[in-house]
Amino acid sequence: MAMEALIKLLFILVASFFVLNCSSQGGDEDFYLTARQKMVKEDIQKRGIDDPRLLDAMLKVERHLFVPEDYRHLAYEDRPLPIGEGQTISQPYIVALMTYHLHIKPDDRVLEIGTGSGYQAAVLAELAKEVYSIEIIEELAQRAQESLKKLGYSNVWVKCGDGFYGWKEHGPYDAIIVTCAAPKVPKHLIEQLDEGGRMILPLGDDPFYQTLTLLTKKEGRIEKRRVTGVVFVPMTGEIEREKR
Ligand code: SAH
């Protein structure tokens, strides 16, 4: 009899462990979804970003899956977060703002310089036909590739290399986004921008302030427009060597 009661108790304990475990996982997903909805409404839509395709993409892409576990609870705060190797994932509003100015259409081919976590690439992949992204740090390129693959993105290609040279084989691009700060516009990127194409990048030498700049190629000429002030990690590689 005592044995029977013990078995019953054990059964109840195991069953309640599974129930609690499953519901807490569902709870996490609900927590992240609510936080994401709030982020899109409060930090993006209310600040003037009104493109419905972009808002849908920001609502769909799970930013918490692109940040290290220790920072997941902060994933939907409007701030950059560390992703390792001294680099950061950009603030959600800035991701939305840069993407907004690129006016991505479903047939577009996009080039990104600075894959980082792969989050911006995922947002672009929701909007464009093909996304090519270059990351100079091997470890980050690999990790981003794995995250994007796990989430089922089959229209993003990541390579490790110096984005200064662009990725000529797949160009020209309808849109180019540079997510590290450059002292000047890398000339290869201008060459790889298609007629009518848009490029957005943080321009400037100051590590604490750069100008987010939008370039448009019209009849072979480049039109330049200031968007706002931003702070990005610097572009490394060839562009740094050129400065010396
Ligand atoms: N877009 C990223 C955040 C980028 S942080 C995201 O969504 O998470 C800037 C990234 O640019 C860093 O990962 C840095 O290693 C990378 N980077 C710096 N210089 C580069 C270069 N010359 N070519 C390619 N990537 C570069």
Side-chain angles (χ1 to χ4, degrees):
M1 195 60 197
M3 191 61 175
E4 206 175 293
L6 199 67
I7 289 171
K8 252 188 204 162
L9 184 68
L10 213 62
F11 177 78
I12 290 168
L13 280 176
V14 170
S16 47
F17 169 78
F18 276 113
V19 170
L20 280 176
N21 206 27
C22 293
S23 64
S24 92
Q25 273 173 11
D28 274 1
E29 288 315 307
D30 289 351
F31 167 80
Y32 289 130
L33 177 63
T34 309
R36 199 156 58 247
Q37 285 166 334
K38 183 166 173 275
M39 171 196 89
V40 170
K41 197 165 170 213
E42 301 295 324
D43 300 323
I44 298 172
Q45 206 169 6
K46 278 197 180 165
R47 284 156 93 181
I49 309 259
D50 58 3
D51 172 356
R53 287 184 73 232
L54 173 56
L55 293 172
D56 277 354
M58 297 296 296
L59 204 54
K60 184 166 173 203
V61 181
E62 297 173 299
R63 191 171 186 255
H64 67 277
L65 301 180
F66 291 89
V67 304
E69 238 162 85
D70 287 354
Y71 293 103
R72 282 202 175 154
H73 61 295
L74 300 173
Y76 298 105
E77 306 263 310
D78 195 32
R79 52 178 272 194
L81 292 170
I83 53 170
E85 315 295 321
Q87 306 302 319
T88 53
I89 179 173
S90 311
Q91 169 192 356
Y93 171 65
I94 294 295
V95 170
L97 184 71
M98 289 175 86
T99 314
Y100 180 72
H101 283 287
L102 290 175
H103 296 290
I104 312 275
K105 294 181 290 303
D107 258 348
D108 281 355
R109 197 175 318 149
V110 183
L111 175 68
E112 179 191 26
I113 309 302
T115 318
S117 67
Y119 173 69
Q120 171 78 71
V123 172
L124 293 167
E126 293 289 340
L127 301 166
K129 188 171 177 196
E130 292 169 11
V131 178
Y132 297 90
S133 187
I134 309 175
E135 170 55 54
I136 205 161
I137 301 175
E138 176 84 49
E139 172 77 25
L140 291 179
Q142 262 180 25
R143 221 186 298 151
Q145 209 157 18
E146 279 163 26
S147 305
L148 291 160
K149 197 175 158 202
K150 227 191 259 174
L151 291 169
Y153 288 101
S154 55
N155 60 338
V156 188
W157 290 268
V158 177
K159 79 164 179 182
C160 181
D162 189 342
F164 175 81
Y165 301 102
W167 197 340
K168 201 168 175 213
E169 302 93 289
H170 303 290
Y173 299 94
D174 303 291
I176 300 180
I177 180 167
V178 183
T179 64
C180 41
K184 61 178 183 185
V185 188
K187 62 176 189 284
H188 301 278
L189 300 186
I190 294 182
E191 286 161 15
Q192 291 170 31
L193 189 64
D194 205 356
E195 177 59 33
R198 291 83 55 203
M199 175 174 359
I200 196 154
L201 78 169
L203 267 184
D205 250 343
D206 187 333
F208 303 109
Y209 184 87
Q210 304 100 34
T211 305
L212 188 61
T213 308
L214 179 68
L215 310 177
T216 312
K217 202 182 228 183
K218 281 190 184 150
E219 288 159 20
R221 291 186 54 238
I222 294 292
E223 279 179 13
K224 215 170 171 182
R225 182 158 86 76
R226 176 189 190 276
V227 177
T228 187
V230 285
V231 185
F232 272 81
V233 294
M235 188 168 187
T236 57
E238 182 56 29
I239 207 150
E240 269 191 331
R241 287 189 284 275
E242 275 194 358
K243 272 200 300 189
R244 282 185 224 130

